[in-house]
Amino acid sequence: DLDLATAVRNIAGLGVPLETALAMATTVPAALIGHDARLAPGARADILHLDADGAIAAVWQGGVAIV
């Protein structure tokens, strides 16, 4: 299985800028299914925090910390 953090590390490892790799894994797919992927008051807060090595540091789902 391929998780989001690993996918981002793999793409960035191919020389794709980290910002682009993150967008490819998050905002682009969200836009394709009609979701507005942004942080804003009242917006659903599903957030993945990656550390400097690209490992999962924290996860929030619906604004609630789950990891």
Side-chain angles (χ1 to χ4, degrees):
D1 293 336
L2 180 65
D3 61 60
L4 186 136
T6 302
V8 169
R9 282 193 305 272
N10 289 347
I11 290 293
L14 294 173
V16 174
L18 182 57
E19 295 81 8
T20 302
L22 287 167
M24 291 169 67
T26 58
T27 56
V28 172
L32 288 172
I33 62 171
H35 289 278
D36 185 10
R38 62 187 172 91
L39 295 177
R44 182 173 171 87
D46 293 338
I47 303 168
L48 178 66
H49 173 197
L50 303 177
D51 66 16
D53 296 320
I56 296 173
V59 178
W60 292 266
Q61 185 175 29
V64 177
I66 60 172
V67 174

